[in-house]
Amino acid sequence: MTQPAAPTVPSNGFGITALVLALSGLGFGLVPFTGFIALVLGLLAVLFGLLGRSYARRGAATNRTMTATSTALGIGAAALGVWGIVMMSGGVDKFGKNLQGVGHDTAAMGDVAVSDCSVTSEYGVSSVHATVKITNKADRAQSYLATIGVNDASGARIGEINTAGKTLGAGQSVSMSGTAPVATAAGGARPRPATCVVATVNRFPPVMTCPAGEVDAKFC
């Protein structure tokens, strides 16, 4: 007696996998930060969806509609992933430009003047010196952070001076000279005249106010 043939089990695994990947990709695609994950999941969903559709055409799978839907959703997830990557790239680029702008307040560059620039040596240790005057030319109180570049006759950077003017009122000035500013000299610096240039200036609202009548604002 002939045994009846065992029923063929449909191979719907590709379609189911594609649907899971596509839905997961859509979830990640809604968040720009995870756009790359959405792109990968979306592309995988499209791949498995096409494989499942091929099985369905041959009659080996019965979820033709699921595979078509999964493929379409996978394309959508990949598109969201690309959108997220573009958004993140733009945000990172803007953030980088903002960082480059810190300390390059062109309006504040004219508030800092430098004179008496030189390099000295004592006990074998080189130091750079200058007189730095900061004048608040704005119409309200400001604090300053400034970096002064010290160059030799060839224009090579041989040192750097960092200084601050805290809570300067409108029109108020503060001067620092000698070793008052924080200065560093390159290892090859030798005693000589030097040229100082204002490299960067960062001006921002003060976090505290000087007492009435305070003249030397650097102590506020």
Side-chain angles (χ1 to χ4, degrees), residues 11 32 52 101 116 148 182 195:
S11 301
D116 303 326
I148 311 301
V182 179
T195 301

Side-chain angles (χ1 to χ4, degrees), residues 32-33 35-36 39 79-93:
F33 184 74
F36 180 76
L39 176 61
L80 282 176
V82 172
W83 169 78
I85 292 172
V86 171
M87 291 289 291
M88 285 299 299
S89 298
V92 170
D93 183 62

Side-chain angles (χ1 to χ4, degrees), residues 178-199:
T179 57
V182 179
T184 56
R190 296 290 183 269
R192 71 188 81 174
T195 301
C196 285
V197 294
V198 180

Side-chain angles (χ1 to χ4, degrees), residues 198-213:
V198 180
T200 62
V201 179
N202 190 16
R203 180 173 60 182
F204 48 91
V207 295
M208 59 187 300
T209 304
C210 288

